[in-house]
Amino acid sequence: MRQLLWAGCSQLLPQVARLCAPKLSVTTAVATPRHGPWPTALLATSSSSPSVPSGFLQPLAPGCRAPCRWGSQFNVPPSALLVARPVGICSMMRLPVQASAEGLDAAFVGVPLDTGTSNRPGARFGPRHIRAESAMVRKCNSSTGAAPFDSLRVADIGDVNVNLYNLPDSCRLIRESYQDIVASGCVPLTLGGDHTITYPILQALAAKHGPVGLVHVDAHTDTGDTALGEKIYHGTPFRRCVEEKLLDCSRVVQIGIRGSSYEPDPYQYSREQGFRVVPAEECWMKSLEPLMREVRAQMGDKPVYISFDIDGIDPAYAPGTGTPEIAGLTPAQALEIIRGCKGLNIVGCDLVEVAPMYDVSGNTALLGANLLFEMLCVLPGVKTL
C-alpha cells in the first residue's frame, strides 16, 4: 500500500527532485513500473526535520521542472488511480502551477471579478470552484480522440489580481496581464469572472493579432451601451470591442441568444455590425453540427476567440449563474459548438459567469470545467490519437 502511494506521489514531483529538493532522509526508490520509469519520489520520513511532517510531499524548489508523465516533456494531470483527487493544491485539472506563461503553449488563468454584474453577484468565486470541480476531468478526450497533454505544454498560472473596488482599473490590470501572456506565445484559457473581463482580454489579443473573429455563446448579446451611466459592465463588452476595432465584425457569430428585452429588436445593433445572431429558438431540438460547418467557413484561417457565457446553457443544467434565462442550449449542444471549432486558428478562450453559490450541487462549475477542457482539446496543434 505504501509503495503504491509513493508511486502516485511521484507524479507530483519533477524527475530532478533529488537535485532540487532540500536534502531529506529518504526511503527506498519506487519500483520501476512496466510502462517506463517514474520520477523518483522524495517523502519526509520519521528522521526528517521536525518542521516536515512524516509522509508529506515536499514543495517544488526554485528551478525545478514542473511535474510530468514518465518519458514526456509535457505536464500531465495525475491519475486518480495513483493520486487521490483531494490531494494537492487546487489547480485546474490538478496541473502544475506556474508564476507566468513562459514556456507554455496554453495556460489556464483565473479572473475572479464580478464588479460588472447587473443581477446576482458571485462570479468572483467562479475560478475557484471550476478548479475544484475540474478534479474529475481526465487527460484524454475519449469522444474526439484529442490528446492535449501529449501535444501542448499546459499549466495553471493562477489568477489576475483584480481591483474589486474599481472596474476600469481591473480592466487595466487584466489587459496588462494578458499582454504578458500573449507576448510569450501562450494561448490563454480563462476562468471567469463576469463577462466584463472579455473586453480587456480582447484588447490584449487584438494588440498582437489584429481584429479577431469571435464565437460567442450566451443568452445575451452583451452589446449594450450604458447602464446607470456606466459604459463598462458585463452587458457592454462587445460594443466596446466594436468601437475599438478589436473584432473582425464579418467573423462574429452569437449563439443561444434569448430572453425578454427592453427593445422590440434586441439584436438590431449586432446585425448592423455584421454579426451573425443565432437565437436559441433556432437551436431547439436539433444538432448544431450543420451550423458549425457554416461557422468554420465564415471564420476561415484568421485568428478566432471563443467566449462562452455559462448562461448560454439552459438553467436546468447550469443554474449557478447571475443572469439565467430559460429555454437555453443543452450541454450536448455546447459540446457540438466547441468541438465544431476544431481546425480554427484559436488564439484564446474564456468561460465566464459561473456563480457557484446558486448551485449547491456544483454541477454548473463542473460543466464549466469540462467546457474549458473541450476548448483546450480544439486548440491548434492538439494531436488526435
Side-chain angles (χ1 to χ4, degrees):
M1 186 65 183
R2 178 176 294 179
Q3 193 174 54
L4 179 61
L5 175 61
W6 292 340
C9 291
S10 69
Q11 294 189 76
L12 302 178
L13 291 171
Q15 292 185 10
V16 292
R18 279 177 293 183
L19 301 177
C20 299
K23 288 187 177 181
L24 299 170
S25 175
V26 297
T27 61
T28 56
V30 179
T32 301
R34 59 180 177 176
H35 297 297
W38 291 91
T40 302
L42 283 183
L43 292 149
T45 64
S46 57
S47 60
S48 301
S49 166
S51 63
V52 183
S54 176
F56 274 61
L57 287 172
Q58 300 309 297
L60 298 180
C64 285
R65 285 184 58 221
C68 65
R69 186 184 62 171
W70 65 89
S72 173
Q73 61 177 318
F74 301 111
N75 300 325
V76 178
S79 168
L81 301 178
L82 295 170
V83 181
R85 285 197 172 96
V87 169
I89 295 170
C90 186
S91 67
M92 188 64 181
M93 295 184 67
R94 301 190 296 161
L95 286 164
V97 178
Q98 289 191 194
S100 77
E102 290 296 328
L104 298 176
D105 301 303
F108 292 105
V109 53
V111 185
L113 180 73
D114 62 3
T115 315
T117 302
S118 60
N119 190 38
R120 303 188 303 198
R124 68 182 63 182
F125 301 112
R128 183 174 298 177
H129 284 258
I130 291 170
R131 286 183 172 110
E133 295 297 339
S134 75
M136 275 295 295
V137 185
R138 303 164 184 87
K139 71 186 186 74
C140 296
N141 192 322
S142 57
S143 298
T144 67
F149 302 106
D150 288 336
S151 313
L152 306 176
R153 191 163 184 83
V154 189
D156 188 327
I157 60 171
D159 294 333
V160 176
N161 187 20
V162 295
N163 183 346
L164 294 177
Y165 310 115
N166 188 321
L167 192 52
D169 189 48
S170 284
C171 288
R172 177 188 63 82
L173 292 166
I174 296 165
R175 180 178 65 252
E176 292 175 355
S177 296
Y178 278 75
Q179 285 171 340
D180 291 340
I181 293 170
V182 299
S184 71
C186 177
V187 177
L189 297 106
T190 303
L191 294 66
D194 73 53
H195 222 151
T196 310
I197 70 175
T198 305
Y199 166 46
I201 292 172
L202 286 176
Q203 286 180 316
L205 286 167
K208 177 176 181 178
H209 300 287
V212 299
L214 176 69
V215 177
H216 173 208
V217 183
D218 205 321
H220 315 95
T221 62
D222 291 352
T223 54
D225 190 9
T226 63
L228 303 178
E230 299 298 324
K231 296 180 74 70
I232 299 176
Y233 78 106
H234 75 163
T236 65
F238 299 114
R239 185 180 286 243
R240 301 288 85 86
C241 288
V242 169
E243 292 170 348
E244 296 183 20
K245 297 180 170 47
L246 309 179
L247 296 175
D248 179 351
C249 294
S250 66
R251 296 191 304 118
V252 175
V253 59
Q254 299 182 304
I255 305 171
I257 312 300
R258 62 191 189 278
S260 55
S261 67
Y262 296 113
E263 304 293 337
D265 184 3
Y267 315 143
Q268 180 179 351
Y269 177 85
S270 291
R271 289 177 174 140
E272 286 176 348
Q273 309 315 308
F275 297 1
R276 179 176 181 179
V277 180
V278 184
E281 54 264 33
E282 294 183 13
C283 304
W284 292 344
M285 296 174 286
K286 66 175 67 171
S287 169
L288 299 187
E289 288 185 352
L291 168 65
M292 294 312 298
R293 285 196 293 270
E294 296 173 3
V295 169
R296 286 195 299 274
Q298 179 183 357
M299 297 296 160
D301 59 0
K302 297 178 181 179
V304 176
Y305 187 83
I306 301 174
S307 187
F308 201 116
D309 188 323
I310 202 69
D311 71 23
I313 305 296
D314 191 276
Y317 305 102
T321 190
T323 49
E325 303 282 1
I326 66 166
L329 304 175
T330 68
Q333 289 175 316
L335 294 184
E336 288 181 320
I337 292 169
I338 297 173
R339 292 174 182 178
C341 293
K342 177 69 174 177
L344 297 180
N345 182 13
I346 300 167
V347 296
C349 311
D350 65 47
L351 188 287
V352 298
E353 298 285 358
V354 171
M357 63 282 297
Y358 308 113
D359 180 7
V360 295
S361 72
N363 283 346
T364 306
L366 176 64
L367 177 56
N370 278 273
L371 295 181
L372 282 159
F373 172 65
E374 293 286 339
M375 293 176 194
L376 174 66
C377 289
V378 298
L379 293 186
V382 171
K383 302 173 184 175
T384 302
L385 302 181

